[in-house]
Amino acid sequence: MKRFMAMLNRNKSKDPPPAKLLDLAAQLCRDHQSSSPSLEELVGTMMGCRHKMYFLTNIHVVRAFVSVHLRQGQHDTACRLLENCKAEEKEELVQLWHEIHYRKVMEKQQVDFLTPLQKFRCRKRNPPPLSLCPGGLKTRSYSDDVRRQLRSFATGVTANPDRKQREELAKDMNLQPAQVYNWFANYRRRQKS
């Protein structure tokens, strides 16, 4: 830690800071992950530094920042930090985004864990920003055209197609037969209710 502080003071005015400084910050964040006071001191130092955005290009530093903000109950600050960080590991950033919101819900409901359904609902209510998902969120739902064709078949021909009909529909719509089977099963279930 002393070595990092000395290197940080020596390179205050350098823009961008040397790679050695950034690597040392990442290593310290990894090493102090389980030591709360040390990690808070380290994160506090980096947050007050003019090179803060350079540090936030490393996933270990981002994780440390988020961890400290969560311990302090600063969920919104942690979310803003994720939205603006430049780390390359987008999948891990999305996971952190979800963890922040899980923690927020757990604290609000005063529980120690969430069920898979509660986590699903939490993810639906708090989708990650475009800065974390530049390609957009992956969705499992079908396009309007595919749904329209399936609905038309269900109402005009049958809501319970046989195997051959399902295979033809799948081929026509570029789907798997299992997807067509599941769509019709769900359709019949919705019609009953």
Side-chain angles (χ1 to χ4, degrees), residues 118-135:
Q118 289 171 314
K119 287 182 176 183
F120 172 78
R121 287 179 178 157
C122 183
R123 288 191 304 272
K124 286 293 181 191
R125 288 184 190 119
N126 305 289
L130 285 176
S131 61
L132 299 183
C133 302

Side-chain angles (χ1 to χ4, degrees), residues 2-137:
K2 288 179 184 175
R3 192 171 129 220
F4 172 75
M5 298 300 273
M7 193 182 290
L8 186 63
N9 285 329
R10 276 196 313 271
N11 295 291
K12 268 188 215 176
S13 58
K14 288 190 181 175
D15 203 22
K20 282 183 182 180
L21 179 65
L22 301 176
D23 292 342
L24 183 57
Q27 180 186 345
L28 285 170
C29 286
R30 260 194 323 264
D31 294 347
H32 293 284
Q33 192 65 38
S34 58
S35 171
S36 184
S38 303
L39 190 64
E40 286 184 24
E41 180 185 346
L42 177 64
V43 166
T45 302
M46 286 189 280
M47 284 174 65
C49 172
R50 67 180 274 230
H51 300 306
K52 175 183 172 183
M53 291 315 291
Y54 290 106
F55 288 121
L56 290 173
T57 59
N58 184 289
I59 192 66
H60 300 293
V61 174
V62 171
R63 209 180 295 125
F65 271 55
V66 168
S67 174
V68 167
H69 286 308
L70 286 181
R71 283 186 201 138
Q72 296 171 351
Q74 300 171 338
H75 302 99
D76 295 336
T77 306
C79 287
R80 279 194 304 278
L81 182 134
L82 282 179
E83 287 180 66
N84 298 317
C85 80
K86 302 293 183 216
E88 297 292 318
E89 297 83 354
K90 297 297 184 188
E91 284 183 27
E92 202 164 336
L93 293 174
V94 169
Q95 279 182 314
L96 282 170
W97 176 269
H98 292 314
E99 287 298 323
I100 292 168
H101 288 91
Y102 296 159
R103 185 78 67 88
K104 197 173 182 179
V105 170
M106 287 189 302
E107 287 175 12
K108 185 178 177 182
Q109 296 179 358
Q110 298 178 345
V111 295
D112 293 332
F113 67 93
L114 296 177
T115 65
L117 179 61
Q118 289 171 314
K119 287 182 176 183
F120 172 78
R121 287 179 178 157
C122 183
R123 288 191 304 272
K124 286 293 181 191
R125 288 184 190 119
N126 305 289
L130 285 176
S131 61
L132 299 183
C133 302
L137 290 175

